[in-house]
Amino acid sequence: VRSIVLLTCYYVAVHSLISRFPSLRHVNRASKKFVPSMSIRVGILGASGYTGAELVRLLVNHPEVELKVLTGNTQAGQQFSKVFPQFSYLKTGLLPTLSKHEENDWSDVDCVFCCLPHGTTQDIIKALPQDLKIIDLSADFRLKDVKSYEEWYGGTHRAPDLQKEAVYGLVELNRERIRSARLVANPGCYPTAAQLPLVPLLKGNIISSEDIIIDAKSGTTGAGRSPKQGTLYCEVSDGIHPYGIASHRHAPEIEQGLNEVSGGDCVINFTPHLMPMSRGILETIYAKLQPKESAESAKNVLKKAFKDEFFVTVLEGKDVPQTRHVRGSNHVFINVFEDRLPGRVIIVAAIDNVCKGASGQAIQNMNLMFGFPEHTSIDQAPMFL
């Protein structure tokens, strides 16, 4: 009898807590029943784009997340599965209907992912409750110098105070600051693949900060979902072309990270190219070695830097990183090769631009901010095909 009384008291207490704090609920995906858990309530601003859809794909399997709000102003009122039919397998009601961001009560949310275009995020984030944790996938809070932002993005920064608060969210290089952050600026896709190998090599004085050349290739998802002539099938298929030559907005973001460890004198040669593929980034990086350093010593530094990292793999021997080998995953493949030119080294890095270059990394940041295991819901093996 005593056991029954204690068990009854336990369930009464649990259900009382769940009633007062909805974030303590967790959905059993198969039965749609709720079971006690320390889950968080999540909203996605701009869920109707590629990064929003990728967030949903990954978060529906997160055991500690309840998706409460999905916004998409042009598709407001529609079921998410009508905009992205790949989610039709989910039972009706498991995902919220798309809504306009101004229609929502954000007091019912613990964390917001912002997937809105550059320049539109600042005013919206300023208006959100101050106790919300935010991961911004736009470029609006990545550059610490607002004057640099205004120069490269062509508009006045309207939230300079928030900019001072924002923490740059490249997890493997900034983990401890991210843990305690309220606002995280999710890195760009090209800067992620560039900084992961270059920062440890500059920090260890293995390579020179002068004459760094980054030859980058990306799939078309990097241009977003809005229709543009340059990303139409006939414009992209059967060819490759560079864009943003000597003017791409990710250059100052890369330089910002490199200058933090090199003493502030790093100017890179960065040229991106658009590839006839949907997702993936491959960067071939050329750098000058410091005296007495070699490709072998560079590789050893990277192995040591990332030996305990779940998502970063320095490949063995002469294995070449390829986009298909990280496709659909949060993994990063890196390798280092000796150049034919004396005193130079070639570094190759591959990521999935939509996952580790955007949504997967955003969830990695969220996991850190809320104390969840860092790889939760983003530890899938690459798809390859």
Side-chain angles (χ1 to χ4, degrees):
V1 173
R2 184 180 179 185
S3 297
I4 294 173
V5 171
L6 288 173
L7 191 60
T8 302
C9 291
Y10 167 77
Y11 277 110
V12 169
V14 166
H15 284 285
S16 175
L17 280 171
I18 289 173
S19 298
R20 291 182 60 198
F21 304 103
S23 63
L24 297 178
R25 298 181 299 173
H26 166 55
V27 180
N28 181 313
R29 305 290 173 185
S31 65
K32 290 180 61 180
K33 293 180 180 178
F34 289 102
V35 295
S37 174
M38 289 302 295
S39 66
I40 60 170
R41 302 160 297 175
V42 168
I44 302 174
L45 286 162
S48 56
Y50 290 139
T51 55
E54 186 80 345
L55 280 169
V56 173
R57 177 178 79 88
L58 298 167
L59 288 173
V60 292
N61 293 315
H62 198 299
E64 307 297 346
V65 164
E66 179 187 358
L67 285 168
K68 293 287 289 184
V69 176
L70 299 176
T71 78
N73 282 15
T74 58
Q75 283 97 6
Q78 294 192 54
Q79 294 295 322
F80 195 71
S81 60
K82 296 300 181 184
V83 178
F84 290 104
Q86 66 267 35
F87 296 104
S88 298
Y89 76 95
L90 293 172
K91 291 181 172 64
T92 302
L94 198 56
L95 292 178
T97 301
L98 284 164
S99 59
K100 293 185 177 181
H101 63 81
E102 61 269 19
E103 296 174 347
N104 289 282
D105 177 10
W106 298 102
S107 64
D108 198 30
V109 173
D110 303 302
C111 177
V112 168
F113 293 93
C114 191
C115 305
L116 298 171
H118 312 311
T120 63
T121 302
Q122 299 151 35
D123 290 331
I124 291 172
I125 289 182
K126 276 199 302 185
L128 292 174
Q130 292 297 304
D131 59 342
L132 272 182
K133 293 194 175 185
I134 301 165
I135 300 102
D136 179 31
L137 282 76
S138 81
D140 281 4
F141 296 98
R142 294 175 190 160
L143 298 180
K144 296 178 180 179
D145 184 353
V146 294
K147 291 183 179 179
S148 180
Y149 173 86
E150 291 166 3
E151 175 187 348
W152 286 90
Y153 287 88
T156 302
H157 200 290
R158 297 184 300 280
D161 290 338
L162 280 177
Q163 176 58 57
K164 295 174 185 176
E165 179 187 353
V167 172
Y168 191 67
L170 188 46
V171 175
E172 288 78 9
L173 303 180
N174 208 20
R175 182 173 279 109
E176 293 311 311
R177 290 195 65 212
I178 294 166
R179 288 187 200 277
S180 58
R182 187 187 78 86
L183 170 59
V184 166
N186 210 59
C189 48
Y190 288 126
T192 294
Q195 291 178 88
L196 283 172
L198 287 175
V199 166
L201 295 179
L202 284 169
K203 191 174 182 180
N205 200 32
I206 303 298
I207 61 172
S208 169
S209 60
E210 299 176 352
D211 198 20
I212 294 174
I213 301 168
I214 303 173
D215 183 320
K217 315 284 194 302
S218 175
T220 57
T221 46
R225 201 183 191 202
S226 298
K228 307 176 187 71
Q229 179 178 319
T231 55
L232 295 173
Y233 176 80
C234 292
E235 304 286 336
V236 176
S237 66
D238 303 319
I240 173 177
H241 66 270
Y243 67 100
I245 299 173
S247 62
H248 195 281
R249 293 167 169 177
H250 282 181
E253 184 182 341
I254 297 170
E255 290 170 352
Q256 175 179 264
L258 302 188
N259 283 327
E260 287 180 357
V261 295
S262 70
D265 59 352
C266 186
V267 178
I268 60 170
N269 184 325
F270 171 63
T271 307
H273 300 73
L274 191 63
M275 299 295 292
M277 60 185 187
S278 60
R279 56 199 297 165
I281 278 182
L282 185 76
E283 295 190 10
T284 306
I285 304 169
Y286 307 89
K288 184 191 299 183
L289 288 162
Q290 296 285 24
K292 299 183 180 180
E293 299 297 347
S294 65
E296 182 180 3
S297 63
K299 186 168 181 174
N300 287 338
V301 165
L302 293 181
K303 281 185 172 181
K304 183 178 180 181
F306 298 121
K307 63 183 176 64
D308 296 323
E309 295 294 345
F310 183 84
F311 292 114
V312 182
T313 301
V314 180
L315 300 180
E316 297 295 331
K318 295 186 178 180
D319 291 350
V320 179
Q322 300 181 37
T323 56
R324 64 169 60 88
H325 295 162
V326 294
R327 180 179 172 87
S329 80
N330 204 55
H331 290 282
V332 184
F333 283 4
I334 300 171
N335 211 344
V336 181
F337 304 89
E338 184 178 357
D339 200 330
R340 289 179 61 239
L341 297 175
R344 296 192 66 86
V345 68
I346 301 171
I347 306 147
V348 182
I351 67 170
D352 184 303
N353 63 302
V354 190
C355 199
K356 180 59 174 175
S359 304
Q361 184 150 249
I363 295 172
Q364 193 177 356
N365 279 310
M366 181 203 74
N367 285 336
L368 269 178
M369 295 163 78
F370 284 92
F372 303 137
E374 194 172 304
H375 59 277
T376 307
S377 88
I378 51 173
D379 57 355
Q380 299 89 343
M383 295 190 294
F384 181 66
L385 296 175

